[in-house]
Amino acid sequence: MRGEIWLADVVRALEAADTDEQRREVVRMLGFAPSTVLADPVASPSETAPLPPEPFPLPAPGPAPAREDEPPARSPAPAGDRDEPEDVLAELPLLRALRSAGEGDAPPRRPVEPLARPTGERHPLPHEPLLVPRWTHAIVRALLSRPVPEGPVDIDVLITAMACRRPVTRLPRLPVPTLRYGVQVLVDRGAGMQPFRRDQDELLRRVRAVVGPQLVETGYFSDAPQRGTGPGPRWTRKPYRPPRAGRRVLVLSDLGLGGPPGHRRGTREEWADFAGRVRQAGCGAVVLSPYPVHRWAEWMPRVLPLVCWDRTTRPGHIEMRPA
């Protein structure tokens, strides 16, 4: 029930009462003094002035109007047939249990599908590669191609040789890039490159699609190739051996920039030894590093050619180098 009772509540309750006795009882129950509201005035012999008007008019006695949500009012039983006092509370609308708001009028709920049972199937999370997808093909070609003198005749060199009266035993030609020598891809699986595993696998797949699976040699190592390189698990790896002459070597590594504290990273001496072995074999190496240029150590670009492996890299940023 509400905490406050207003005059409108009293009027509504009085409309449901049939007799004066019931009205007095209702007013008393609602907290209004019957002597000031409904008590019959008793005039003294000396009083001749009229009684003051009542604070609020009482409705004329009669049957209360029927309402749709209430049962029809019962007629009061004769006084002689009443064995016990009539329950006035049963006739008061305010004291009856009201129907909850919206009951029966709420729209039907839509059926909800039950949650699927958990299974062992794993769905990969969305992945955004480090290189822009529409430029990855051109970047891979620029990284792995080596120039060969098999293009059109170099007219400028030919004219210079003839003007200097040098014998021309072979026509000079312009260099053109080629991928026919293949590539060796070395993937660093050390702790520092662990956040980039999916990028390594994605780029390796793109390299095989551009160069051809038969011309791609894959080797995995941890932190430094000299510690063991091979296509299989770590316990099957052997000391690094360069590929045959003319083949490009692509290294996917951070050169020891990442990793947890205390991790045994690749050192400058190890990478310098690696670069010397590759050059002695007649090959050219290039490193893709996922860290920005300002994070590189001073010795890194001096030991090996580095290319920033992120979305700012464009094919025009890569310089074609001979093997």
Side-chain angles (χ1 to χ4, degrees), residues 2-18:
R2 296 175 296 181
E4 297 181 356
I5 300 177
W6 303 87
L7 292 179
D9 300 330
V10 178
V11 174
R12 183 180 178 186
L14 291 176
E15 290 178 356
D18 298 327

Side-chain angles (χ1 to χ4, degrees), residues 36-163:
T36 60
V37 179
L38 293 177
D40 295 330
V42 180
S44 61
S46 61
E47 284 183 338
T48 58
L51 294 176
E54 296 181 353
F56 50 86
L58 295 178
R67 293 166 45 175
E68 296 180 358
D69 58 345
E70 296 181 1
R74 297 179 300 175
S75 60
D81 297 340
R82 297 179 181 176
D83 297 336
E84 56 184 8
E86 186 178 359
D87 187 6
V88 182
L89 301 180
E91 301 296 335
L92 296 179
L94 290 179
L95 302 180
R96 297 173 56 190
L98 300 178
R99 186 178 59 180
S100 60
E103 183 179 354
D105 301 334
R109 295 183 178 180
R110 297 180 180 179
V112 179
E113 298 182 1
L115 297 177
R117 291 182 175 271
T119 61
E121 184 179 0
R122 300 178 59 183
H123 299 280
L125 297 175
H127 173 63
E128 185 176 1
L130 292 177
L131 298 177
V132 179
R134 66 174 181 269
W135 292 330
T136 303
H137 183 92
I139 291 174
V140 169
R141 292 190 63 90
L143 283 172
L144 305 180
S145 299
R146 55 166 294 185
V148 293
E150 297 177 356
V153 176
D154 193 343
I155 302 298
D156 295 338
V157 175
L158 181 60
I159 292 176
T160 301
M162 296 177 64

